[in-house]
Amino acid sequence: MGGTIGRVREGDSVTIDAKQLLIQLNVDEAEIARRRAEWKAPPPRYTRGVLGKYFKLVGTASKGAVTD
């Protein structure tokens, strides 16, 4: 949440290289830092029911998106 993919804006250049397993945002580091500073987490879309429970309990995708 709040990672680099969240900094991508319409018109940005992105490099995807399947051979090198690379996805790269081609934006100046200063611009990425500015975007990071102004980012605010959106409110959860679901707060009740099955999807609300899933949202509260699921781990990150990098760790397998496993629920605890």
Side-chain angles (χ1 to χ4, degrees):
M1 200 163 180
T4 303
I5 197 166
R7 313 285 181 258
V8 178
R9 302 261 173 93
E10 177 116 12
D12 286 348
S13 171
V14 177
T15 300
I16 300 173
D17 186 333
K19 288 184 179 182
Q20 293 184 17
L21 303 176
L22 173 74
I23 300 176
Q24 177 179 323
L25 176 59
N26 302 315
V27 174
D28 183 39
E29 286 297 323
E31 174 63 15
I32 293 173
R34 187 185 67 74
R35 292 177 186 183
R36 182 177 290 117
E38 66 185 27
W39 184 82
K40 294 179 184 169
R45 183 177 287 170
Y46 304 100
T47 57
R48 300 180 333 169
V50 174
L51 291 177
K53 182 179 179 181
Y54 177 79
F55 178 77
K56 290 176 189 172
L57 300 177
V58 73
T60 66
S62 65
K63 295 186 179 184
V66 178
T67 57
D68 290 331

